[in-house]
Amino acid sequence: MNYVRISVVFYLTAETWGGHDAGSHQFTGIAKYLNSYTFTGRRNCVLATYAGIAVIFLYLKLKPKKKKAVATK
Amino acid sequence: MMVSFFDQFASPVYMGVPLIAIAIALPWVLYPTPSSRWINNRLTTMQGWSINKFTNQLMLPLNTGGHKWALLLTSLMIFLITINMLGLLPYTFTPTTQLSLNMGFAVPLWLSTVIIGVRNQPTIALGHFLPEGTPIPLIPVLIIIETISLFIRPLALGVRLTANLTAGHLLIQLIATAVFVLMPMMPAVAILAATVLFMLTLLEIAVAMIQAYVFVLLLSLYLQENV
């Protein structure tokens, strides 16, 4: 009974006070790193979004421009 | 000389001396310095009690690291509320109608909260860009929205205070002018306008206090996220 009480208190404490990455053990695969529930997951999502925007911007900036064929007069 | 309704917002200069310096320094003269006596007079006691009460209320949601900001936030609150209230007196200049002053408060204080967050807890500071429990398809959109809202915060802080004070003072001047003009022609309408003016003045007193409080409260909320 005391064991159950302690584990419930620990669970409630971790979940209520948002203990660092509380509950991160339940995510598997890519969701462990990219999710919207833990601080680490949210941080990684933010960094991934910024990286994606940077990649798109660099691609549009650096892509070779097609030269139009000059019409012969 | 053309007199416009916006002349009241012109920063006063007399013989090359910017009088806004006096307008900003004046509020401090109005508050008595607490003495080293064990029991002060009624005014000093009330002043101390109200400042302590306000500071206690403001610091409640903040952790110990945020308590270092108590002096700054409380003095900012007293400064803004005094300037706003003094500006409601006739023929006075209100420094907080100047966007430069309000942005001068908003931008450095907001930026310092951001720098504190990025320096001390970068994961949590970055994590705030994505609300907890966001559905996967909305993640990139919300991150962009939250980033934009972060950078709009100092602008909103400064412009909110400026716009509220400016609009209020302008309305008071407009309706007061209407009362003066209408009094010889249509006294009944002038009395109605005077009633509106009275109620507007009461509203502006409330707005003066509320806007000062909102400014400081929002700064404490931004600090709460980052400290």
Side-chain angles (χ1 to χ4, degrees):
Chain A
M1 193 61 187
N2 284 337
Y3 171 75
V4 171
R5 197 178 296 164
I6 289 166
S7 58
V8 165
V9 168
F10 178 79
Y11 172 76
L12 283 174
T13 309
E15 289 299 310
T16 307
W17 298 104
H20 292 285
D21 293 338
S24 58
H25 58 276
Q26 57 187 310
F27 294 110
T28 53
I30 199 167
K32 193 174 181 181
Y33 302 102
L34 293 171
N35 63 77
S36 61
Y37 292 94
T38 62
F39 271 117
T40 312
R42 285 153 71 182
R43 179 202 71 189
N44 292 339
C45 284
V46 170
L47 292 174
T49 305
Y50 288 162
I53 293 170
V55 163
I56 293 170
F57 175 75
L58 282 171
Y59 169 73
L60 292 171
K61 190 88 177 166
L62 298 173
K63 74 173 180 180
K65 292 173 188 172
K66 292 177 188 174
K67 288 183 184 175
K68 291 182 184 175
V70 178
T72 54
K73 290 184 182 178
Chain B
M1 188 179 101
M2 288 291 291
V3 178
S4 80
F5 285 108
F6 294 97
D7 285 346
Q8 61 178 315
F9 303 121
S11 188
V13 175
Y14 183 69
M15 293 177 67
V17 177
L19 298 179
I20 193 168
I22 303 172
I24 288 171
L26 182 66
W28 298 118
V29 175
L30 301 173
Y31 290 94
T33 309
S35 67
S36 56
R37 289 171 180 268
W38 211 353
I39 295 175
N40 293 309
N41 59 20
R42 285 193 194 98
L43 181 63
T44 311
T45 307
M46 273 180 55
Q47 177 185 281
W49 174 84
S50 58
I51 290 173
N52 285 340
K53 199 82 178 170
F54 171 77
T55 310
N56 186 44
Q57 191 65 32
L58 194 67
M59 292 294 123
L60 269 177
L62 290 168
N63 59 19
T64 319
H67 292 173
K68 294 175 196 171
W69 285 60
L71 181 63
L72 176 65
L73 292 176
T74 307
S75 54
L76 181 65
M77 170 70 179
I78 294 169
F79 178 69
L80 289 176
I81 203 170
T82 310
I83 282 187
N84 290 349
M85 296 291 278
L86 285 176
L88 289 171
L89 297 170
Y91 294 104
T92 54
F93 172 70
T94 315
T96 41
T97 54
Q98 305 296 302
L99 185 65
S100 54
L101 184 98
N102 296 331
M103 293 302 284
F105 278 127
V107 172
L109 292 173
W110 161 82
L111 190 61
S112 56
T113 62
V114 171
I115 289 171
I116 283 172
V118 168
R119 188 172 173 269
N120 294 342
Q121 43 186 34
T123 299
I124 296 176
L126 277 174
H128 280 123
F129 283 109
L130 180 62
E132 192 176 347
T134 306
I136 294 172
L138 288 175
I139 286 175
V141 176
L142 265 179
I143 288 171
I144 294 168
I145 289 171
E146 288 289 327
T147 308
I148 294 169
S149 79
L150 175 78
F151 287 102
I152 275 184
R153 277 179 182 176
L155 202 67
L157 266 180
V159 172
R160 183 185 299 110
L161 186 57
T162 309
N164 272 286
L165 271 293
T166 307
H169 282 68
L170 206 55
L171 266 175
I172 286 174
Q173 189 166 9
L174 281 168
I175 296 178
T177 307
V179 171
F180 274 117
V181 166
L182 288 171
M183 194 57 84
M185 295 187 291
M186 292 183 276
V189 178
I191 290 168
L192 199 66
T195 314
V196 171
L197 180 64
F198 175 71
M199 289 190 293
L200 181 66
T201 308
L202 291 177
L203 173 70
E204 285 307 311
I205 292 169
V207 164
M209 292 189 282
I210 288 167
Q211 287 303 319
Y213 175 62
V214 162
F215 192 97
V216 172
L217 182 71
L218 283 172
L219 273 174
S220 75
L221 287 175
Y222 301 155
L223 181 67
Q224 203 179 325
E225 282 183 359
N226 291 298
V227 82

